[in-house]
Amino acid sequence: MPMKVLSVASEAVPLVKTGGLADVAGALPGAVAQHGVAMTTLLPGYPSVLKALPRARTVHSWDSLLGTSARLLSGKLGEHPLLVLDAPALYDREGSPYSDAAGRDWDDNWRRFAALGRAAADIAGGAIVKRGKPQGFDLVHAHDWQAAMAPAYLHFAPLGTEAVPSVVTIHNMAFQGWFDRKAFAQMGLPASAWTMHGVEYHDGVGMLKAGLACAAAVTTVSPTYAREIRTGTFGMGLEGLIIARGNAVSGILNGIDIDRWNPGRDKALAETYTWRTLERRLANKRALEAEFGLDEDDGPLFIAVTRLTWQKGMDVIPQVLDHLVGLGGRLALLGSGDPEIERALFEGAARHQGRVAIRLGYDEDLSHRMQGGGDAILVPSRFEPCGLTQLYGLAYGCIPVVSRTGGLADTVIDANPAALAAGCATGIQHDGVSHDALSAALTRAAQLYRQGEVWHRVQKNAMKCDFSWTASGKAYADLYRSLIA
Ligand code: ADP
């Protein structure tokens, strides 16, 4: 009998995505399936999700789920089972899953996502009844603060008597879901949950904190980030709890969905290619230059596909544009976020017409064309739990130029002389995120690029790396099994 695991997330491809969490939640069921895990995903019923399930069956309903009526719909996420929490008062809002059109977080986010956790605990405990039999789960896997109340409900207020173990995965410690203490009274938790070992955090409700305290195991998305969050800089206040959880905390790297991210079959590309046919990449580079209105030449074409935030180091990019262009490079950047950074980037692009071009917005297909046509992708994150864009870069031979932190440190092998001599270099790393560090990395990238054969060797090394879900799917399945036993 396969283990039955309920994965709870606030986003999952292809139904709703704002970042890497969605890629992971969407791929995980397939990744663990071959290791004896039958995974069902639970998502909130945002309009985009409900639209994809026109003929869904109702499998359970609540008269009052934290004060609102809700029903549970059953559908499919790709080939895998999906449950959708349809609670119109909470989720029937267009746009971002978390904020209004002006970008302000919804006031009732505590209720929206506590309800998700409460529903998950009920479902795991057997709320769905088929032919008179409750259909519980062996384990709950909760992603980020939006799902992290599930372990707290399972611990303090389970539906059934049987203890269902849980795992919390931290995809980004910067987002913790902290709310005013007033919320606690409406969460349906016993008074005993209001302690430093439960949901209380700095005199408010800490949703991620509650999950980290109550889950049987905590994972984050790279081994280096799992170590980093034991320190104040990366733990962001929760380092003490992470240290206290000791060996219950581990790091499992994200994989990439090699069906969606495969340059040999990618329909978004002008020309598909493999490491054996690298020369065909040039057509994609020419197409990308044309698409961005950049000069056509044979210097290095840098790209970036990212949220425009301080975390991603994007405030430093405008400072290094003169240097990048001075090296004979060009930059095509796709992203959106901090208006200050957007403004600085546009200013830089205006000074460097034909050399620097910025696209604001979110465009999945364009991100594929950029990985397939760019020579190198810049990922100068100040912290990076795992990072996916450098993995796509590796798969597409778009050499990652990354800061040495978190998952970037774990997935990119710096092209230092030893790694070049050993034939295993896959990218360029820099220490710290500053004008000087990034400039030096750009110089190294441009120098390496000009040594055509050496560069192609690094591209081939990168493209041959296996960042599929094979290893990580097994690691999650092994973890689940150890907790159920
Ligand atoms: P994070 O989740 O912190 O934003 P990740 O690197 O883990 O960073 O994941 C980001 C995901 O979102 C990747 O799949 C990346 O390709 C995608 N992405 C980010 N910004 C954009 C954008 N502007 N357009 C298209 N895809 C984007």
Side-chain angles (χ1 to χ4, degrees):
M1 275 279 281
M3 281 179 280
K4 289 178 69 186
V5 174
L6 181 67
S7 168
V8 189
S10 56
E11 37 185 291
V13 290
L15 301 178
V16 48
K17 169 169 169 173
T18 72
L21 163 64
D23 293 286
V24 177
L28 203 52
V32 294
Q34 50 205 311
H35 303 289
V37 177
M39 180 171 277
T40 297
T41 304
L42 173 66
L43 282 178
Y46 316 114
S48 68
V49 174
L50 293 177
K51 231 172 272 157
L53 302 177
R55 284 181 303 278
R57 266 179 321 120
T58 301
V59 292
H60 182 69
S61 51
W62 290 263
D63 293 333
S64 174
L65 179 70
L66 265 54
T68 184
S69 67
R71 54 186 191 139
L72 192 63
L73 305 175
S74 156
K76 287 267 168 171
L77 183 68
E79 304 159 15
H80 301 279
L82 173 71
L83 293 170
V84 172
L85 183 59
D86 180 21
L90 303 180
Y91 308 126
D92 185 13
R93 305 173 196 182
E94 294 291 345
S96 154
Y98 315 120
S99 49
D100 63 19
R104 277 181 307 256
D105 285 349
W106 296 109
D107 284 340
D108 59 348
N109 270 352
W110 70 266
R111 190 190 301 275
R112 301 175 74 223
F113 295 107
L116 184 67
R118 177 70 264 180
D122 287 359
I123 297 163
I128 303 173
V129 177
K130 249 194 216 160
R131 287 182 221 102
K133 268 210 190 130
Q135 308 287 308
F137 284 79
D138 299 318
L139 182 139
V140 171
H141 185 167
H143 300 273
D144 276 350
W145 73 264
Q146 292 92 341
M149 286 303 287
Y153 284 109
L154 285 168
H155 182 75
F156 289 109
L159 178 71
T161 47
E162 215 173 304
V164 179
S166 53
V167 175
V168 167
T169 294
I170 307 164
H171 295 264
N172 193 335
M173 194 62 128
F175 304 112
Q176 299 188 353
W178 185 92
F179 300 95
D180 191 277
R181 62 179 297 156
K182 284 196 295 247
F184 181 72
Q186 299 176 63
M187 285 183 154
L189 282 164
S192 59
W194 186 259
T195 73
M196 63 176 284
H197 303 295
V199 305
E200 189 274 329
Y201 186 54
H202 292 298
D203 203 34
V205 171
M207 290 211 191
L208 179 61
K209 185 257 163 172
L212 299 182
C214 297
V218 173
T219 68
T220 186
V221 287
S222 68
T224 293
Y225 194 60
R227 283 195 301 279
E228 288 173 338
I229 56 175
R230 298 166 64 86
T231 66
T233 310
F234 297 93
M236 303 188 167
L238 288 170
E239 59 277 9
L241 178 53
I242 293 293
I243 292 170
R245 296 296 327 254
N247 289 337
V249 182
S250 62
I252 301 176
L253 271 179
N254 288 335
I256 63 175
D257 183 340
I258 50 174
D259 291 327
R260 291 175 54 241
W261 289 95
N262 179 346
R265 289 200 299 256
D266 191 332
K267 292 197 174 61
L269 301 182
E271 187 85 64
T272 57
Y273 59 94
T274 67
W275 65 268
R276 287 196 178 82
T277 56
L278 261 182
E279 64 288 349
R280 290 165 61 172
R281 268 186 118 255
L282 186 60
N284 296 321
K285 182 168 176 175
R286 292 286 102 96
L288 194 61
E289 289 161 346
E291 185 164 6
F292 272 85
L294 289 168
D295 299 342
E296 189 179 298
D297 73 37
D298 290 326
L301 175 55
F302 294 96
I303 66 159
V305 179
T306 179
R307 293 185 285 123
L308 299 177
T309 63
W310 182 87
Q311 178 202 335
K312 299 289 181 182
M314 284 296 124
D315 50 311
V316 183
I317 296 288
Q319 302 168 25
V320 298
L321 288 179
D322 293 353
H323 183 70
L324 183 153
V325 171
L327 290 166
R330 285 152 301 147
L331 173 69
L333 182 146
L334 167 64
S336 63
D338 183 338
E340 274 299 307
I341 298 177
E342 290 178 1
R343 199 168 317 127
L345 285 168
F346 276 116
E347 243 169 56
R351 271 189 293 121
H352 295 293
Q353 286 204 7
R355 312 304 295 176
V356 174
I358 313 295
R359 267 304 164 75
L360 283 191
Y362 191 94
D363 188 334
E364 185 87 19
D365 271 5
L366 177 57
S367 74
H368 285 242
R369 295 196 291 278
M370 292 172 74
Q371 298 277 13
D375 294 306
I377 178 163
L378 305 179
V379 194
S381 304
R382 289 194 169 83
F383 61 94
E384 192 57 80
C386 177
L388 290 172
T389 57
Q390 87 282 9
L391 299 181
Y392 301 145
L394 290 167
Y396 280 62
C398 182
I399 295 307
V401 178
V402 306
S403 52
R404 198 189 312 270
T405 188
L408 301 173
D410 289 339
T411 55
V412 174
I413 301 174
D414 181 61
N416 59 44
L420 284 172
C424 61
T426 60
I428 286 176
Q429 295 190 340
H430 52 89
D431 281 309
V433 179
S434 63
H435 167 273
D436 290 359
L438 201 51
S439 298
L442 288 169
T443 303
R444 288 182 62 209
Q447 283 169 349
L448 205 60
Y449 176 84
R450 307 254 179 230
Q451 303 172 47
E453 261 320 295
V454 184
W455 182 263
H456 291 144
R457 185 65 200 274
V458 175
Q459 282 182 301
K460 285 177 191 167
N461 294 342
M463 293 181 73
K464 288 185 202 170
C465 291
D466 179 6
F467 286 111
S468 70
W469 273 98
T470 312
S472 301
K474 178 168 186 310
Y476 278 114
D478 289 347
L479 175 68
Y480 302 153
R481 203 164 282 119
S482 73
L483 299 174
I484 291 169

